[in-house]
Every structure is written in structure tokens, then in C-alpha cells.
């Protein structure tokens, strides 16, 4: 498969160090050193003015803003966000004018230094507490979106700022990735799944492209291949290396490998980041196997793949993956868990990334097999997800309103007893009943995405503040 473009390049952060002429200049020099050291420690590449380009590399005048904007524009393709550093009050217009001139349209994090109580004399005071308010006021006037640190003023080496910066990098990845993502819709939406309807036009207005193909083209391509083709042999070995094959017969494994080649060729030809594939029940009826294993392999390799042509579900997988840097899985809100109001069962036939399935095995899909014959469902995966952190979320187009909406939240996956088949997990989620009420009242799908992380805050900031979508959060 092609490498996921959203995760291939972490990107750089532009740095604006604000300055105001009647504050000590040495504060700019000290801040510059501290930020460079912090970025090195955290593995972040800075793009910032040289000390010779402006006074100490700070931005104070309109001419400084022009120079900094030109520098940022020269690095447009690599800058995914901008950090505004205020070692003193800073020039409120200089910050906003730099960002306006550069026209990067990326997230902006605003940081200000705290004062020391014993250094409030004219020679040593900062006034960044006040300056940050003024800088944000100007960004607001200019129509530039921005992110705030947890503490109003904070030193770069403070643990809370390091956490803020990590979250901000996640926000930048999400925003950049979603604004150019390409999703393949492979096949028609299954007739019995009105729930996965969506608007291509609303998605496109937000930079999200959907590339469609008839399932017959993929199956036709697969049927022209033979087990003797080198590409099929390579995929067959990859499948065997990926998961234990259990009782799956050789002929079914070959079918799966051929289909995997056809899918890979389509993904590569169209430079796709993710796929949503028709499954229930056309692949089984017209080809004779499940596509779950191929989907799992793609998702594990950071190219999320969702079933039932759930394009916005796949988009949700991609967003949560960008937030955490780890694979996502599309799951059903499937069952209550006994009498516990804050626990439920998450389930799917078997296409989750193997990061969620330490006991993974290639198997069949028993429910689907009752209608199409279990012998036509080899390729589904079996496995139980153990206890791990949980971020869940769902993005959807609300066509009557003409908007994109989402909900995100956090919980835990548990080791509670669960005797069933397929891909399965038990989730413990605070206020789960309120969440289910919200999902039902607002017309969300029965599919949700899970990710083994705690990244709901990043998703809320990226989807709500920068993408401009309607986002509900649950804790």
C-alpha cells in the first residue's frame, strides 16, 4: 500500500517571538534559547527568524512581521502550526500581521511567560499576562483561529506546557490531514444500511475528497489474477505473516490475496489515505470471501479501512488516528453489558487492526454466514480486545442542516468477561446513558470509532475550533 501521507511527515512549527521596545531585549534572547532547547528535546523542527534578520530574531515592527511572514511562506509546505511566544508584553499587531501576511491557515498556539514577584521593576518586568490578552484580541479581530495553553502564562519547561505542546502537535496533524484527505468509496452503500448515508458535497467543501469505484471493477480485477502472479504470491505471504490462518483453507487465502492486490492497486492509483468498502453481502455472494483481513492490514498500517461504505466512519477513523498516531477501529455500539449502565459491548464481524487483537486469528463471520453460507465468509478476523485506554468518536454529515457534526469522548476498554465471537470489546464510559441519548436524538450512526489513547481534547480543538464543525464532548 502507499504510505499514509498524513502520518509520513510530522511537519515543522513556525515560531513567532513577540517583543515590545520598552521591555528588556534580553528576554527575547532567553526565550529563543529555551524554545530551541525544548523543541530539540521534543523532536520538533522550528522555523524561526535568525537573530540577524531582526533584532534578536523577534517580531516587533511591521517590517519584522513582513520578514517573518516571508520566512513562513518559504516553508509553507512543511509548517503545520505556529507557536506565538511572548517573553514580554509583545507587539500585539506584529503577531497578527505576521500570520495574516503568511496566510498559512494553520493552528496557532499562544504562550506567555510568567513574571517573578521579585522582578517587577522596570528593568525586569514582563507583563506577558496582559500582553497575551492583547495578542489574542488582535488575532480575534483578524479572524485568525488560535489555541490557548492550560495556564494563562507558563514557562516552556513547565510540564503542563509540554503537554499542551504535544496536544497542539496532534491538533496540527488532525487539521492538516483532514483538509486534504482522500477516501476511496469502494462499491455501493448496502441497501439495508441507510444509516451510512452521507453528503459528498459537504465533505468536499471541507477539503475531503471521495473517490468512488463500482465493486464489480475491483472484483473483476481480482478474478483476472491467479495464484501464480507474483503480486498474489506476495500478498498471500503477507496475509500468512499477519495473522494465524486457523482453519481457513488455502483456496480462501488465495481469494483473499487476489482481492488484496486489486484493492492495493486502486489505492495506489488514486493516492488514497483511507477506504470504505462494500461488504454486507455483495463480496461474499459475488466473490466468496470476506475482505476483513485486507481492511485490518490497511488499518494497522495507518491507512484506515471501514466497512459498509461508511465514508464518514472511515473519516472518523482517520481523524482519531491523526490525533494519536496509532490505528483506529470502526465498531458497532452493539450491546448492553449486563446491568451496568456505564458499560457496553463493542463489536464487528472482524476487520479491526491487530493492535486491538492480541489473540487475532483469520476465521469466518457466523452471523453473515447464516445467509450467504459460512464457507463464503473466510477472511473475517476473530479476537478479543483487552483492557486499554479509549478515545471514541464519530464524524457525520448532517445533510438537512448542511453541516458536519461530531461527538468525542474518553473511557476505558476492560477485561470483563465476554463470551461471543468476531471482534469484540467491553467499554466502560462515564455517563454512557446520556451519550446514547445524545446519539439517538441527533441522528448519529450505530458505528463509532475507537482508539487506544486519551486524545478527545485534541479532537475537540481541531474539529471544533479549526475545522469549524459542531462538536459535542463527553467525559
Amino acid at each position: 500500500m502507499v504510505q499514509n501521507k498524513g502520518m509520513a511527515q510530522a511537519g515543522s512549527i513556525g515560531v513567532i517571538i513577540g517583543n515590545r521596545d520598552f521591555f528588556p531585549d534580553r528576554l527575547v534572547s532567553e526565550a529563543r534559547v529555551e524554545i530551541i532547547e525544548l523543541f530539540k528535546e521534543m523532536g520538533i523542527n522550528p522555523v524561526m527568524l535568525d537573530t540577524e534578520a531582526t533584532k534578536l530574531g523577534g517580531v516587533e515592527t511591521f517590517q519584522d512581521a513582513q520578514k517573518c511572514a516571508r520566512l513562513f511562506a518559504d516553508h509553507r509546505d512543511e509548517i503545520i502550526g505556529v507557536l506565538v511566544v511572548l517573553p514580554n508584553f509583545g507587539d500585539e499587531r506584529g503577531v497578527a500581521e505576521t500570520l495574516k501576511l503568511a496566510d498559512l491557515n494553520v493552528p496557532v498556539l499562544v504562550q506567555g511567560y510568567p513574571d517573578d514577584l521579585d522582578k517587577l521593576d522596570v528593568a525586569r518586568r514582563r507583563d506577558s499576562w496582559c500582553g497575551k490578552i492583547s495578542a489574542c484580541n488582535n488575532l480575534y479581530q483578524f479572524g485568525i483561529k488560535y489555541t490557548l495553553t492550560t495556564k494563562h502564562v507558563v514557562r516552556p519547561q513547565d510540564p503542563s506546557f509540554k503537554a499542551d505542546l504535544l496536544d497542539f502537535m496532534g491538533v496540527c496533524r488532525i487539521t492538516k490531514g483532514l483538509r486534504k484527505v482522500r477516501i476511496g468509496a469502494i462499491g455501493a452503500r448496502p441497501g439495508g444500511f441507510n444509516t451510512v448515508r452521507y453528503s459528498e458535497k459537504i465533505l468536499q467543501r471541507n477539503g475531503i475528497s471521495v473517490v468512488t469505484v463500482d465493486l464489480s471493477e475491483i472484483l473483476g480485477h481480482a478474478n483476472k489474477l491467479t495464484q501464480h502472479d507474483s503480486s498474489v504470491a506476495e500478498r498471500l505471504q503477507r496475509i500468512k505473516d499477519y495473522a494465524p490462518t486457523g482453519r481457513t483453507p488455502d483456496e480462501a487465502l488465495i481469494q483473499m490475496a487476489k482481492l488484496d492486490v486489486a484493492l492495493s492497486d486502486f489505492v495506489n492509483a488514486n493516492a488514497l489515505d483511507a477506504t470504505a468498502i462494500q461488504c454486507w453481502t455483495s463480496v461474499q455472494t459475488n466473490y466468496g470471501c470476506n475482505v476483513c483481513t485486507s481492511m485490518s492490514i490497511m488499518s494497522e498500517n495507518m491507512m484506515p479501512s471501514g466497512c459498509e461504505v461508511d465514508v464518514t466512519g472511515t473519516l472518523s477513523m482517520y481523524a482519531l488516528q491523526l490525533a494519536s498516531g496509532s490505528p483506529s477501529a470502526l465498531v458497532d455500539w452493539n450491546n448492553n453489558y449486563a446491568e451496568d449502565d456505564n458499560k457496553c459491548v463493542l463489536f464487528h464481524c472482524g476487520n479491526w487492526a491487530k493492535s486491538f487483537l492480541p489473540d487475532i486469528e483469520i476465521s469466518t463471520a457466523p452471523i453473515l454466514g447464516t445467509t450467504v453460507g459460512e464457507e463464503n465468509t473466510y477472511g473475517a478476523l476473530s479476537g478479543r480486545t483487552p483492557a486499554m485506554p479509549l478515545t471514541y468518536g464519530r464524524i457525520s454529515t448532517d445533510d438537512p442542516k448542511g453541516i458536519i457534526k461530531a461527538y468525542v469522548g474518553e473511557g476505558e476498554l476492560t477485561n470483563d468477561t465476554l463470551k461471543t465471537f468476531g471482534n469484540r470489546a467491553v467499554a466502560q464510559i462515564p455517563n454512557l446513558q446520556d451519550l446514547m441519548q445524545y446519539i439517538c436524538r441527533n441522528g448519529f450512526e450505530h458505528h463509532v470509532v475507537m482508539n487506544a489513547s486519551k486524545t478527545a481534547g485534541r479532537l475537540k480543538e481541531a474539529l471544533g475550533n479549526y475545522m469549524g464543525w459542531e462538536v459535542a464532548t463527553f467525559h
Side-chain angles (χ1 to χ4, degrees), residues 1-9 272-274 301-304 318 321-322:
M1 296 291 180
V2 295
Q3 188 180 26
N4 178 286
K5 297 191 291 292
M7 301 301 296
Q9 173 56 259
L272 301 179
D273 299 289
N301 286 284
M302 310 300 277
M303 298 193 64
Y318 190 65
Q321 172 186 293
L322 290 168

Side-chain angles (χ1 to χ4, degrees), residues 49 64-74 76 97-104:
L49 288 169
D64 295 343
Q66 288 177 306
K67 290 179 181 178
C68 192
R70 283 195 293 269
L71 174 67
F72 286 176
D74 289 342
R76 180 180 305 279
E97 285 167 341
T98 298
L99 293 167
K100 197 70 173 180
L101 290 170
D103 194 26
L104 298 177

Side-chain angles (χ1 to χ4, degrees), residues 162-380:
K162 292 181 180 181
D164 289 338
L165 193 52
L166 279 176
D167 285 340
F168 180 67
M169 292 294 290
V171 170
C172 293
R173 288 195 306 268
I174 298 166
T175 306
K176 179 182 179 181
L178 293 184
R179 284 173 174 165
K180 63 171 188 174
V181 62
R182 291 172 58 81
I183 300 174
I186 300 173
R189 170 183 57 79
F193 283 84
N194 275 5
T195 185
V196 297
R197 286 173 168 175
Y198 68 98
S199 170
E200 279 191 53
K201 293 180 179 179
I202 294 175
L203 292 179
Q204 192 65 73
R205 278 292 180 97
N206 287 266
I208 301 156
S209 300
V210 179
V211 181
T212 63
V213 65
D214 194 276
L215 184 61
S216 65
E217 294 186 34
I218 301 297
L219 299 185
H221 179 19
N223 278 321
K224 291 177 183 177
L225 298 168
T226 74
Q227 61 180 307
H228 304 296
D229 291 313
S230 60
S231 58
V232 175
E234 177 189 334
R235 295 288 162 166
L236 179 60
Q237 188 58 52
R238 188 171 82 148
I239 289 170
K240 291 180 178 179
D241 292 341
Y242 183 72
T245 57
R247 61 184 179 88
T248 307
D250 289 343
E251 55 268 27
L253 291 170
I254 293 169
Q255 273 187 297
M256 292 158 55
K258 290 161 60 177
L259 184 54
D260 197 58
V261 171
L263 289 169
S264 179
D265 288 347
F266 177 70
V267 167
N268 284 310
N270 292 279
L272 301 179
D273 299 289
T275 52
I277 303 175
Q278 181 180 357
C279 170
W280 194 290
T281 56
S282 185
V283 174
Q284 295 79 10
T285 301
N286 297 301
Y287 188 70
C289 74
N290 264 40
V291 70
C292 297
T293 299
S294 293
M295 298 169 73
S296 175
I297 293 173
M298 286 190 281
S299 294
E300 182 70 17
N301 286 284
M302 310 300 277
M303 298 193 64
S305 187
C307 49
E308 295 153 9
V309 202
D310 187 354
V311 168
T312 51
T314 302
L315 177 66
S316 307
M317 293 176 72
Y318 190 65
L320 268 68
Q321 172 186 293
L322 290 168
S324 67
S326 64
S328 300
L330 187 68
V331 310
D332 283 353
W333 290 116
N334 212 72
N335 313 88
N336 60 290
Y337 188 82
E339 304 302 320
D340 194 324
D341 288 342
N342 285 326
K343 287 182 181 177
C344 67
V345 176
L346 306 177
F347 176 83
H348 239 156
C349 298
N351 64 350
W352 299 355
K354 73 175 181 180
S355 291
F356 296 98
L357 308 171
D359 58 342
I360 189 171
E361 181 178 86
I362 299 175
S363 184
T364 59
I367 295 177
L368 190 54
T370 61
T371 58
V372 301
E374 192 169 356
E375 70 278 4
N376 293 312
T377 67
Y378 282 107

